[in-house]
Amino acid sequence: MKPILSQVSKLDNVKSFDLPLSTCFDRCEYYNISVCYAKNNRRLKYKKKVLKNIRNLKLIRSTKFVKVLTKEILKDNCRKFRFFSSGQIENIDQLIKVLDVCKICKMVKFAIMVNSDIIISQLIQSRYKIPKNANLLLSNYEPNKKTPEFMKNYLIKSNIGVTQTTLKNKLATCEASKVKNGHCGNCEKCYNNKDITFKIHGHALKKIKVS
């Protein structure tokens, strides 16, 4: 079987399951102003990586996804795992599949960042119980925007957290994002914390409005 997992160097080579940017660029301001890490990473434009993400999209749309990905994660003996360093789920069915994988792989810590508030709301309405080892986070799709308190309070009742970004070092809670070529080290905030703020770094920062 061809590879489906990726290693994210900036996350200290934690394994991840990624999808094409076609699944998220239409609802993400980071992509529009070219601050998106995945869009700017030349390595993700290599043919092998592009084809892998296309295969992954076909897989998550299929009935084989849970079985195949579970097998790959357990075979790789992962302690931590990330959804998604590139791309996003397209609907609630795919999100539930992801959470079903987490439920089976009980000994693995999962970080799941989703930028669709509609899909998150559908999940809450479905009353699906999120596994304890899965840290589901709603990512703010607008750069340098703090998630409103009412939204945080609504989500936390369903064990869902938030992420946002900032241009200010003092407001960032992710230490790796504050320095050039920063790495996670022993930090596991993405797998445990329910409110994470990343310092914006990379290209086109001047295009972001300071608030």
Side-chain angles (χ1 to χ4, degrees):
M1 180 180 177
K2 293 184 178 181
I4 60 174
L5 303 184
S6 300
Q7 277 187 307
V8 189
S9 58
K10 71 170 186 172
L11 301 180
D12 292 328
N13 292 317
V14 167
K15 293 293 177 71
S16 71
F17 180 84
D18 299 334
L19 295 170
L21 289 179
S22 60
T23 58
C24 61
F25 73 83
D26 62 336
R27 61 173 186 263
C28 183
E29 191 61 25
Y30 293 87
Y31 184 93
N32 293 337
I33 62 174
S34 296
V35 180
C36 170
Y37 167 80
K39 181 181 180 180
N40 294 329
N41 189 339
R42 293 180 181 178
R43 295 179 183 177
L44 300 184
K45 297 177 183 178
Y46 293 160
K47 185 176 180 180
K48 286 185 178 180
K49 178 61 177 176
V50 171
L51 293 177
K52 181 195 292 184
N53 287 350
I54 292 174
R55 290 197 304 271
N56 285 354
L57 182 58
K58 291 179 180 178
L59 179 61
I60 199 170
R61 288 173 173 174
S62 76
T63 57
K64 300 177 181 179
F65 174 76
V66 174
K67 182 178 180 179
V68 172
L69 188 57
T70 297
K71 182 179 178 180
E72 288 296 305
I73 292 173
L74 295 178
K75 184 178 70 175
D76 213 71
N77 199 28
C78 297
R79 189 178 74 83
K80 297 183 290 187
F81 194 87
R82 169 78 177 264
F83 293 98
F84 303 84
S85 66
S86 170
Q88 286 284 310
I89 42 119
E90 300 172 298
N91 51 57
I92 185 175
D93 291 336
Q94 291 179 7
L95 178 54
I96 289 177
K97 287 179 183 179
V98 166
L99 293 170
D100 283 346
V101 171
C102 301
K103 191 178 293 185
I104 296 170
C105 302
K106 297 179 180 180
M107 303 304 291
V108 182
K109 285 186 174 183
F110 291 91
I112 311 164
M113 298 182 190
V114 175
N115 70 0
S116 173
D117 50 354
I118 294 175
I119 295 175
I120 290 292
S121 294
Q122 290 173 340
L123 182 73
I124 293 173
Q125 292 169 16
S126 75
R127 298 184 180 275
Y128 182 98
K129 188 173 181 180
I130 299 170
K132 292 181 179 180
N133 61 326
N135 196 24
L136 180 57
L137 303 163
L138 175 62
S139 298
N140 195 324
Y141 55 82
E142 292 186 274
N144 198 38
K145 294 289 184 180
K146 189 174 181 180
T147 306
E149 288 299 319
F150 78 87
M151 178 70 78
K152 294 181 185 179
N153 294 336
Y154 170 68
L155 295 173
I156 200 64
K157 293 177 183 178
S158 299
N159 196 30
I160 300 171
V162 299
T163 74
Q164 55 264 309
T165 58
T166 181
L167 292 172
K168 301 177 182 178
N169 256 17
K170 64 180 181 180
L171 297 180
T173 59
C174 169
E175 298 302 320
S177 68
K178 295 181 183 182
V179 296
K180 187 176 181 179
N181 299 321
H183 289 272
C184 300
N186 295 322
C187 178
E188 295 191 349
K189 287 180 181 177
C190 289
Y191 304 90
N192 300 310
N193 290 19
K194 295 298 182 186
D195 191 351
I196 305 169
T197 303
F198 300 100
K199 170 74 164 53
I200 297 174
H201 53 279
H203 302 284
L205 297 186
K206 294 181 181 179
K207 296 181 180 179
I208 300 174
K209 294 180 181 180
V210 178
S211 58

